[in-house]
C-alpha cells in the first residue's frame, strides 16, 4: 500500500503580515512558519492508516522553497517514511491549478492507493488543490472528512456538512481525501522519531521538471481589508466602559429598555 | 567507694560469656551485612551517578548534619522528640561501645581502665539521663502515632515492632542497671550518679539478692539478644534509615539548588529519555526510596496534596521502593499514575523540608520526560498546543514573535539588534512581553532603571521563551533548542549583565543555562533594585504606609534563597508587612510552576485560591509578589475565591514605580 | 454576461443559501440560468430557466453525476461565469467543473471589482484581488457575503435532465448532530464565547450576560471542539448562521468561518483585548478589555 500526504508550509496565523514589494502576496519577513493546520490531520490519518494496516509506504510531499523541508521533517517525525520536496523558490506565485499539476506530474507514475491533503490552506484558502489533483490523476475524491475507516480496499468516510450534519460515504481505493478539523488529534512527535526523521530520505525535485501548465488565475494585488468606518473602539476603565456600552446599546438597539 | 564498676559483673567475664556473646555479635553482623547486600544489589540496578566526589568533605558534612539533627529538628514537636531520642540512643550506643572497648580490649590487652573516677561519674549520669530522655521521647512518639494519629501518617506493622523492640531494650537496660545497683551500689554516693538506675534499684529491693542476680543475668542476655536483634533487623525494617538516611547526607547534590540533569541530546546512541522503568533510574533514585522514613513532612507541604490532587511525594517515593524491591518489572509511570505525575508544580517544598534529603522533584520531571519525549503525551491538549506555540512562535501564548518587543513602545529603549551598547539586558520573558497585566511590570521595571540613569536593552523579537515551562513539563529537547538560540544571541551581543522580572527566567538563565554555556551574571530585579537603592543610585519616596502581605515565589525563595531583598524594597516604600503563616521557606506555591501555567487545573481544588485565602487571612488588603506567574494566578484566584472586594494583587515593580520622586 | 447558478438541495429541500448566488448575479447585472439537483416540490423562486435533475435518481452524494449533468448544461448555455456557494457542496464540486472545462476557479468571493473578484486570505487578515483570463470562470461565494435585497419571487421554467448514475461512491446516510433544545437562528440576542474565555468555567459569565440581555449564549468553533459547549451552540459556517438584533462576541478573534456565521447581525459588539482582532472589521463597537473583568461588570450593571 502506498500513501501520499500533500502538505503546505504556511505562516502562523497570529503573525503580523506585511505586503511584499510586488504587492501580490505577503512578505516573508518576520514570520513564524508551520505546517498548514489541515495538513496535520492528513499526516496523522496517513500514519494511523499505516499503523492499522501494519505495512505501507507513506510519502510526504510539499511544494515550495528550501525552508519547507523543515515542515516536511515534522511530517517525517510524525511517521511518514520519506519525503518528496518539489523545489520552487516562488511557489506563492503559482496558482492552485499549477500546484496540483506539478504534484500530479510526480504522483501520476507512483501508483498511490490513498492520498490525504488538508481541505484548504490557511493562507490562500482556495480549497482547490486536493480535488484538482484527484481529477488530474483520475481518482475519486471526497472533501472535508471528519471520520475515516478503511480496510485497505474500501474507505468509509464522514463528510462534515453545514450545521453539524455529517454525510457518510463509502468508496473504493485508490482515492483522495481532504481532511477537516475534527478528523483526529495530530500526535506530538516523540524524540526518537524526531531523531530518526533527520536520517529519512528527502529528495528535492526542481519544479521546472514537473510543471508545464499555465496559471488559470492571476492575483492582481493583495491588500489589507478596509476597516469598517462605523466601528467604534472603546478603551479604558471597566466601570466607564460598562456605562458607555449600556448607553450605546440603549441608543442603537431595541434590546435594553 | 571507688568510682567504677565491674564490667560483666554477675554474668562472668570468661569464655562462657564472651564466646556466645561474640558469636551472636558476629551472627548479627553477618545478617546485617547480608541483608544490606541484598538491598545494595537493587541500588546497583540503577544507572551511574557521581555523588562521591570529594568524599572526605561529604562524609564530614554528613556526620555534622546527622549528629546535629538539624533538618529533623526543623519541625517542632515530633522533630524535637526524634532529635532528643536520637541523642539519647546515640549516647547509650557510645557508652556501650566504651564499655566493650575497656572490657574486651584495653583492659585485657593493655591493662588500661578509663571507666573510673570523675569520668565514670559523668559517664554514668549522662547515660542515665540519656536513657530516661530516650524512653520519654519514645513514649511521646508512640502516643503521637497511635493515639493522636496525625492525618496522613502511615502506620504499618513494622512500626509497632520497632516501638516495642526499642522500648524493651531501653527498659531492660534500666532494670539490669537497677538490679546490679541493688546488689552493689545501693546506699553509696556513687549511686546518686545513676539516679534513674537508683529508682529501679529501690523498686527491686523486695526480691532479695538472689532474685536481683537472677533477674540481672537473665535480662542481660535478653538485652544482648534484643540489641543484636536490632542490629540484624536493620536492613529488613524501617530501622535501616539509621544507615540509609544518614548515608543520604553523603550523597547530596552539590550542584545548584533545583538543578536538573541536562540531557545529552547530541549522543545518537541514547535511545531512551526520561524514566519509565526501574532501569531508567539512577542508583541514587533507588537509594532515596530506602532513605525515606514516611515522616510525611513532604506530603504535608505539597500544594497539590493540599488541594486534593492524587499526588503525594511521599507516596511516589514509596511506590518507587515497592517496585525496586518487590516488582522490578512494573512500569514506574503507570504505578505512580499520570494524574499524579502531571500535578507536581516543582515548588520544592518537599525537598526543602525532607530530613532524609530525598530528591523528589527530579524524579517527577524525569517521568514527565519519558511521557513527553518517548510517548508524546501531555497532561492535556491545551499543553500540547502551548508547547507547539512555543516551538513555532517562541512563546506559549501563540502570539506573533515579531510583536514581542511591542510592549516597550514609548519607553525609549531599543532592541540590542539596533543598539547593543547597554548597561544591562532586560530579559523580559513571555508573560511580561505579551500579557496585558504583566506588561505593566515590564514597563515599571524599565522606568525604574531609567530613573537610576541606566540604559536598558532588550532582545525584542529575537528573544525566545527561556524554555523553563516546557522543560519542567518534560520537553528537554525543545528547552535546549530555545536555550541555545537565546544563548547564541546573548553571547553574540556581548551582554555583560542580565536582569529579569520573572523568577523562572532568572533561575533558568542564572543556573540551568550554565550547563549550556551561558556565562553572564543574571539577577532577579528585586536583588538588582535593592542594590541600586542601597548604593543610592535609585531614589524612592515613601508616600504613606500601606498594609500588605508578601508571597515568596518558589523560584525566588526556595530555589534561590532570596527572601530579604523583596521585603527590604517593600518596607522602603512604606509596606507594612503582615507575614502569612506559610512564608519564606515554608511558602505555599501559587500553583503555576512545573509548567502547570500551561495547563488547566482539572483535579481537586485550585491551588491559587488556597494561597489567596491565606493572604486574606492576614487581613491585609494587598497581596504582593514578584513573579508574573504568581501575579496571574493570584488575579484568577482572587476572582475564583470571591475576594475581589477585599483583596488586590500587585507586583513589587508596579508599587515601586509609583514611588519615584516626581519632578 | 451569462451566468449559471448552481443551487443546492438536501433530500429534496432547497437550501436557502442558493439565493446568495442569485443575489450576486443580480448585483453584477448578469443573465441568470440555474441548475439544481433537487425536487420539483421545492424549487427556487425566480423567473428564468432552471435545469432540474431529480435528487432521488442522482442520490445525496454523487459529484461525478452532478459534474456530468453540469457539463451538459454548460455546453448548451455557454455561460461566462458559473457560480456556487462556498459550501461543503460547492468546494467539493467547483474544482471538478473547473478542471473539466479548463476554467479558472476563484474561491470564497466576498466582493467584486469589475472583472476581478475579491477573496479573503490569511484568516481574513488580508484580501486578494484575483481574476482569470479564461472564457469561463467558476466562482464560489462566501456564505452570507451576498444576499437578496427583497424576498425571492417568481416561477422558474423547468427543463428536466436525464440522469445516469453509476457512481463509484456510495452514499450511506446522514448523521445528525446531537439533539439540543436551542435554535440560535431564532434568538434575538446572542452572546458568544471564543477561545479568549480561557477556560470552560468562564462560560458561566457568558451565560449570565446572555441571560441578563434576555438572549441565548453561543460559541465559536474552537470552544465547541474543546468540549466546553455543545455543538448546537456553535455559530459559524459549520454551525449555525445567525442574524440576531444584538450579537456580543467575547474573546472571539474573528475567524472567517465564524464571521460568516454572524456578520448579518443587526448590531455587533466585540469584546477583545486585541484592538486589531479581525472581528473589529464587522463589529459596530469593539470594547478593548479583558472579558473576565468586563463581562461580570456589565452583567451586574444590567441586572442592577
Amino acid at each position: 500500500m502506498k500513501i501520499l500526504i500533500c502538505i503546505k508550509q504556511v505562516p502562523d496565523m497570529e503573525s503580523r503580515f506585511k505586503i511584499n514589494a510586488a504587492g501580490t502576496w505577503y512578505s516573508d519577513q518576520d514570520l513564524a512558519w508551520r505546517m498548514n493546520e489541515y495538513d496535520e490531520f492528513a499526516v496523522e490519518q496517513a500514519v494511523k492508516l499505516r499503523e492499522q494496516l501494519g505495512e505501507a509506504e507513506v510519502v510526504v510531499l510539499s511544494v515550495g522553497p528550501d525552508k519547507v523541508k523543515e515542515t516536511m521533517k515534522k511530517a517525517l517525525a510524525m511517521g511518514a517514511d520519506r519525503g518528496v520536496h518539489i523545489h520552487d523558490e516562488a511557489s506563492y506565485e503559482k496558482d492552485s491549478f499549477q500546484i496540483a499539476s506539478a504534484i500530479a506530474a510526480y504522483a501520476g507514475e507512483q501508483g498511490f492507493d490513498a492520498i490525504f491533503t488538508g481541505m484548504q490552506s490557511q493562507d490562500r484558502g482556495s480549497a482547490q488543490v486536493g480535488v484538482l489533483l484527484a481529477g488530474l490523476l483520475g481518482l475519486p475524491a471526497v472533501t472535508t472528512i471528519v471520520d475515516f475507516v478503511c480496510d485497505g480496499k474500501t474507505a468509509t468516510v464522514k463528510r462534515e456538512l453545514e450545521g453539524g450534519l455529517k454525510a457518510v460515504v463509502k468508496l473504493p481505493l485508490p482515492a483522495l481525501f481532504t481532511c477537516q478539523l475534527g478528523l483526529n488529534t495530530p500526535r506530538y512527535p516523540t524524540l526518537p522519531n524526531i531523531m530518526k526523521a533527520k536520517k529519512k530520505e528527502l529528495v528535492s525535485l526542481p519544479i521546472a521538471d514537473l510543471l508545464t501548465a499555465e496559471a488559470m488565475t492571476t492575483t492582481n494585488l493583495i491588500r489589507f481589508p478596509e476597516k469598517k468606518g462605523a466601528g467604534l473602539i472603546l478603551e479604558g476603565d471597566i466601570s466607564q466602559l460598562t456605562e458607555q456600552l449600556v448607553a450605546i446599546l440603549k441608543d442603537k438597539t431595541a434590546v435594553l429598555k | 567507694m571507688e568510682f567504677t564498676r565491674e564490667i560483666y559483673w554477675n554474668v562472668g567475664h570468661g569464655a562462657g560469656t564472651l564466646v556466645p556473646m561474640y558469636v551472636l555479635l558476629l551472627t548479627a553482623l553477618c545478617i546485617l551485612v547480608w541483608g544490606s547486600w541484598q538491598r545494595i544489589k537493587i541500588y546497583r540496578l540503577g544507572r551511574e551517578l557521581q555523588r562521591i566526589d570529594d568524599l572526605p568533605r561529604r562524609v564530614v558534612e554528613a556526620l555534622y548534619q546527622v549528629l546535629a539533627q538539624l533538618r529533623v529538628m526543623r519541625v517542632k514537636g515530633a522533630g524535637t522528640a526524634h532529635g532528643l531520642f536520637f541523642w539519647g540512643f546515640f549516647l547509650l550506643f557510645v557508652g556501650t561501645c566504651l564499655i566493650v572497648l575497656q572490657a574486651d580490649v584495653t583492659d585485657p590487652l593493655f591493662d588500661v581502665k578509663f571507666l573510673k573516677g570523675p569520668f565514670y561519674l559523668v559517664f554514668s549520669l549522662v547515660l542515665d539521663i540519656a536513657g530516661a530522655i530516650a524512653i520519654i521521647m519514645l513514649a511521646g512518639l508512640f502516643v503521637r502515632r497511635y493515639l493522636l494519629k496525625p492525618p496522613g501518617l502511615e502506620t504499618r506493622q513494622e512500626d509497632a515492632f520497632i516501638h516495642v523492640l526499642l522500648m524493651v531494650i531501653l527498659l531492660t537496660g534500666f532494670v539490669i542497671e537497677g538490679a546490679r545497683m541493688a546488689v552493689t551500689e545501693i546506699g553509696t554516693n556513687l549511686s546518686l550518679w545513676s539516679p534513674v538506675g537508683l529508682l529501679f534499684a529501690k523498686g527491686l529491693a523486695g526480691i532479695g539478692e538472689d532474685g536481683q542476680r537472677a533477674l540481672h543475668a537473665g535480662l542481660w542476655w535478653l538485652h544482648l539478644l534484643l540489641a543484636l536483634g536490632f542490629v540484624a533487623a536493620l536492613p529488613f525494617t524501617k530501622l535501616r534509615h539509621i544507615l540509609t538516611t544518614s548515608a543520604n547526607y553523603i550523597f547530596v547534590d552539590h550542584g545548584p539548588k533545583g538543578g536538573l540533569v541536562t540531557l545529552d541530546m547530541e549522543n545518537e546512541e541514547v535511545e531512551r529519555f526520561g524514566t519509565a522503568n526501574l532501569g531508567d533510574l539512577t542508583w541514587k533514585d533507588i537509594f532515596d526510596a530506602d532513605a525515606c522514613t514516611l515522616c510525611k513532612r513532604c506530603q504535608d507541604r505539597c500544594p497539590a496534596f493540599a488541594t486534593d490532587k492524587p499526588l503525594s511525594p511521599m507516596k511516589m517515593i514509596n511506590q518507587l521502593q515497592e517496585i525496586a524491591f518487590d516488582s522490578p518489572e512494573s512500569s514506574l509511570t503507570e504505578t505512580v499514575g499520570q494524574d499524579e505525575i502531571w500535578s507536581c508544580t516543582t515548588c520544592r517544598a518537599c525537598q526543602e523540608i525532607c530530613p532524609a534529603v530525598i530528591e523528589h522533584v527530579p524524579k517527577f520531571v524525569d517521568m514527565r520526560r519519558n511521557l513527553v519525549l518517548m510517548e508524546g503525551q501531555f497532561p492535556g491538549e491545551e499543553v500540547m498546543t502551548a508547547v507547539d506555540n512555543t516551538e513555532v512562535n517562541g512563546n506559549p501564548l501563540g502570539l506573533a514573535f515579531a510583536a514581542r518587543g511591542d510592549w516597550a513602545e514609548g519607553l525609549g529603549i531599543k532592541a540590542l539588534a539596533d543598539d547593543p551598547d547597554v548597561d544591562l539586558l532586560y530579559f523580559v520573558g513571555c508573560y511580561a512581553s505579551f500579557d496585558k497585566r504583566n506588561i505593566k511590570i515590564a514597563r515599571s521595571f524599565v522606568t525604574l532603571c531609567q530613573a537610576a540613569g541606566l540604559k536598558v536593552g532588550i532582545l525584542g523579537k529575537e528573544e525566545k521563551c527561556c524554555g523553563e515551562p516546557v522543560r519542567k513539563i518534560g520537553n528537554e529537547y525543545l528547552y535546549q533548542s530555545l536555550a541555545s538560540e537565546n544563548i547564541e544571541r546573548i553571547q553574540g551581543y556581548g551582554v555583560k549583565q542580565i536582569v529579569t522580572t520573572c523568577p523562572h527566567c532568572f533561575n533558568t538563565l542564572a543556573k540551568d543555562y550554565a550547563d549550556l554555556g551561558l556565562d553572564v551574571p543574571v539577577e532577579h530585579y528585586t536583588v538588582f533594585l535593592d542594590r541600586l537603592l542601597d548604593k543610592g543610585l535609585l531614589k524612592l519616596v515613601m508616600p504613606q504606609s500601606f498594609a500588605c502581605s508578601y508571597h515568596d515565589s518558589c523560584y525566588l525563595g526556595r530555589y534561590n534563597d532570596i527572601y530579604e531583598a523583596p521585603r527590604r524594597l517593600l518596607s522602603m516604600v512604606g509596606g507594612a508587612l503582615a507575614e502569612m503563616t506559610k512564608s519564606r521557606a515554608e511558602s505555599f506555591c501559587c500553583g503555576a510552576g512545573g509548567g502547570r501555567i500551561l495547563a488547566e487545573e482539572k483535579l481537586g481544588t485550585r491551588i491559587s485560591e488556597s494561597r489567596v485565602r491565606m493572604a486574606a487571612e492576614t487581613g491585609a488588603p494587598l497581596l504582593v509578589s514578584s513573579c508574573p506567574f504568581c501575579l496571574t494566578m493570584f488575579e484568577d484566584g482572587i476572582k475564583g475565591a470571591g475576594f475581589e472586594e477585599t483583596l488586590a494583587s500587585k507586583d513589587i515593580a508596579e508599587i515601586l514605580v509609583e514611588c519615584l520622586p516626581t519632578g | 454576461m451569462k451566468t449559471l447558478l448552481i443551487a443546492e438541495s438536501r433530500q429534496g429541500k432547497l437550501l436557502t443559501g442558493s439565493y446568495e448566488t442569485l443575489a450576486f448575479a443580480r448585483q453584477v447585472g448578469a443573465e441568470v440560468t440555474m441548475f439544481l439537483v433537487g425536487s420539483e416540490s421545492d424549487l427556487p423562486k425566480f423567473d428564468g430557466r432552471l435545469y432540474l435533475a431529480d435528487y432521488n435518481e442522482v442520490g445525496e452524494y454523487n459529484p461525478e453525476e452532478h459534474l456530468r449533468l453540469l457539463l451538459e448544461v454548460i455546453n448548451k448555455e455557454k455561460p461566462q461565469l458559473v457560480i456556487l456557494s462556498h459550501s461543503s457542496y460547492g468546494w467539493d464540486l467547483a474544482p471538478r467543473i473547473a478542471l473539466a472545462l479548463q476554467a479558472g476557479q476563484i474561491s470564497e468571493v466576498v466582493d467584486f471589482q469589475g472583472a476581478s473578484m475579491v477573496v479573503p486570505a490569511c484568516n481574513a487578515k488580508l484580501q486578494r484581488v484575483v481574476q482569470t483570463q479564461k472564457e469561463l470562470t467558476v466562482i464560489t461565494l462566501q456564505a452570507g457575503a451576498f444576499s437578496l435585497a427583497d424576498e425571492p419571487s417568481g416561477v422558474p421554467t423547468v427543463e428536466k435532465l436525464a440522469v445516469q448514475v453509476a457512481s463509484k461512491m456510495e452514499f450511506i446516510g446522514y448523521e445528525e448532530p446531537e439533539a439540543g433544545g436551542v435554535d440560535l437562528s431564532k434568538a434575538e440576542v446572542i452572546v458568544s464565547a471564543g477561545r479568549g474565555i480561557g477556560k470552560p468555567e468562564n462560560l458561566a459569565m457568558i451565560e449570565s450576560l446572555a441571560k441578563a440581555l434576555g438572549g441565548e449564549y453561543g460559541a465559536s468553533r474552537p470552544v465547541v471542539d474543546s468540549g466546553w459547549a455543545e455543538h448546537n451552540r456553535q455559530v459559524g459556517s459549520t454551525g449555525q448562521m445567525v442574524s440576531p438584533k444584538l450579537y456580543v462576541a467575547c474573546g472571539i478573534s474573528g475567524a472567517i468561518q465564524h464571521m460568516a456565521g454572524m456578520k448579518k447581525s443587526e448590531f455587533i459588539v466585540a469584546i477583545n483585548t486585541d484592538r486589531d482582532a479581525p472581528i473589529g472589521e464587522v463589529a459596530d463597537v469593539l470594547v478593548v478589555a479583558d472579558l473576565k473583568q468586563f463581562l461580570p461588570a456589565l452583567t451586574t450593571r444590567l441586572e442592577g
Side-chain angles (χ1 to χ4, degrees), chain B residues 270-281:
Chain B
V270 178
E271 301 215 323
R272 289 189 60 74
F273 301 96
T275 295
N277 302 305
L278 193 62
D280 299 321
L281 296 165

mmCIF file of all heavy atoms in Angstrom, chain B residues 270-281:
data_model
loop_
_atom_site.group_PDB
_atom_site.id
_atom_site.type_symbol
_atom_site.label_atom_id
_atom_site.label_comp_id
_atom_site.label_asym_id
_atom_site.label_seq_id
_atom_site.Cartn_x
_atom_site.Cartn_y
_atom_site.Cartn_z
ATOM 1 N N VAL B 270 21.964 7.286 22.491
ATOM 2 C CA VAL B 270 20.922 7.260 23.507
ATOM 3 C C VAL B 270 19.559 7.065 22.858
ATOM 4 O O VAL B 270 19.172 7.821 21.981
ATOM 5 C CB VAL B 270 20.916 8.596 24.297
ATOM 6 C CG1 VAL B 270 19.802 8.589 25.317
ATOM 7 C CG2 VAL B 270 22.266 8.809 24.953
ATOM 8 N N GLU B 271 18.870 6.012 23.300
ATOM 9 C CA GLU B 271 17.572 5.747 22.694
ATOM 10 C C GLU B 271 16.424 5.979 23.650
ATOM 11 O O GLU B 271 15.284 6.008 23.261
ATOM 12 C CB GLU B 271 17.531 4.285 22.226
ATOM 13 C CG GLU B 271 18.630 3.985 21.235
ATOM 14 C CD GLU B 271 18.178 3.001 20.201
ATOM 15 O OE1 GLU B 271 17.426 2.084 20.567
ATOM 16 O OE2 GLU B 271 18.571 3.158 19.043
ATOM 17 N N ARG B 272 16.741 6.063 24.949
ATOM 18 C CA ARG B 272 15.690 6.239 25.931
ATOM 19 C C ARG B 272 15.886 7.566 26.639
ATOM 20 O O ARG B 272 17.008 7.956 26.962
ATOM 21 C CB ARG B 272 15.722 5.114 26.958
ATOM 22 C CG ARG B 272 15.272 3.780 26.414
ATOM 23 C CD ARG B 272 15.133 2.775 27.539
ATOM 24 N NE ARG B 272 14.154 3.202 28.527
ATOM 25 C CZ ARG B 272 12.847 3.179 28.367
ATOM 26 N NH1 ARG B 272 12.339 2.752 27.232
ATOM 27 N NH2 ARG B 272 12.039 3.576 29.327
ATOM 28 N N PHE B 273 14.767 8.253 26.855
ATOM 29 C CA PHE B 273 14.845 9.515 27.569
ATOM 30 C C PHE B 273 13.852 9.501 28.698
ATOM 31 O O PHE B 273 12.710 9.064 28.530
ATOM 32 C CB PHE B 273 14.511 10.675 26.612
ATOM 33 C CG PHE B 273 15.432 10.742 25.429
ATOM 34 C CD1 PHE B 273 15.077 10.160 24.223
ATOM 35 C CD2 PHE B 273 16.664 11.374 25.527
ATOM 36 C CE1 PHE B 273 15.938 10.214 23.120
ATOM 37 C CE2 PHE B 273 17.519 11.429 24.439
ATOM 38 C CZ PHE B 273 17.158 10.849 23.246
ATOM 39 N N GLY B 274 14.294 9.973 29.858
ATOM 40 C CA GLY B 274 13.366 10.022 30.974
ATOM 41 C C GLY B 274 13.246 8.685 31.663
ATOM 42 O O GLY B 274 13.949 7.723 31.357
ATOM 43 N N THR B 275 12.350 8.640 32.610
ATOM 44 C CA THR B 275 12.194 7.458 33.456
ATOM 45 C C THR B 275 10.833 6.825 33.271
ATOM 46 O O THR B 275 9.812 7.485 33.461
ATOM 47 C CB THR B 275 12.332 7.876 34.940
ATOM 48 O OG1 THR B 275 13.657 8.337 35.148
ATOM 49 C CG2 THR B 275 12.041 6.716 35.863
ATOM 50 N N ALA B 276 10.827 5.544 32.883
ATOM 51 C CA ALA B 276 9.563 4.821 32.856
ATOM 52 C C ALA B 276 9.670 3.578 33.733
ATOM 53 O O ALA B 276 8.709 3.165 34.361
ATOM 54 C CB ALA B 276 9.204 4.409 31.434
ATOM 55 N N ASN B 277 10.851 2.984 33.744
ATOM 56 C CA ASN B 277 11.041 1.736 34.483
ATOM 57 C C ASN B 277 12.235 1.825 35.417
ATOM 58 O O ASN B 277 12.983 2.796 35.406
ATOM 59 C CB ASN B 277 11.286 0.602 33.496
ATOM 60 C CG ASN B 277 10.153 0.467 32.529
ATOM 61 O OD1 ASN B 277 9.016 0.318 32.913
ATOM 62 N ND2 ASN B 277 10.470 0.554 31.253
ATOM 63 N N LEU B 278 12.398 0.784 36.186
ATOM 64 C CA LEU B 278 13.464 0.743 37.182
ATOM 65 C C LEU B 278 14.827 1.021 36.573
ATOM 66 O O LEU B 278 15.623 1.778 37.119
ATOM 67 C CB LEU B 278 13.458 -0.642 37.850
ATOM 68 C CG LEU B 278 14.293 -0.761 39.116
ATOM 69 C CD1 LEU B 278 13.772 0.176 40.179
ATOM 70 C CD2 LEU B 278 14.252 -2.200 39.633
ATOM 71 N N GLY B 279 15.080 0.421 35.423
ATOM 72 C CA GLY B 279 16.384 0.565 34.795
ATOM 73 C C GLY B 279 16.730 1.973 34.367
ATOM 74 O O GLY B 279 17.882 2.296 34.092
ATOM 75 N N ASP B 280 15.702 2.846 34.286
ATOM 76 C CA ASP B 280 15.953 4.229 33.878
ATOM 77 C C ASP B 280 16.426 5.073 35.045
ATOM 78 O O ASP B 280 16.969 6.159 34.863
ATOM 79 C CB ASP B 280 14.669 4.856 33.310
ATOM 80 C CG ASP B 280 14.157 4.120 32.096
ATOM 81 O OD1 ASP B 280 14.989 3.686 31.270
ATOM 82 O OD2 ASP B 280 12.919 3.977 31.963
ATOM 83 N N LEU B 281 16.179 4.584 36.274
ATOM 84 C CA LEU B 281 16.547 5.368 37.450
ATOM 85 C C LEU B 281 18.035 5.262 37.714
ATOM 86 O O LEU B 281 18.696 4.339 37.266
ATOM 87 C CB LEU B 281 15.800 4.829 38.677
ATOM 88 C CG LEU B 281 14.276 4.940 38.649
ATOM 89 C CD1 LEU B 281 13.661 4.071 39.718
ATOM 90 C CD2 LEU B 281 13.871 6.389 38.845
#
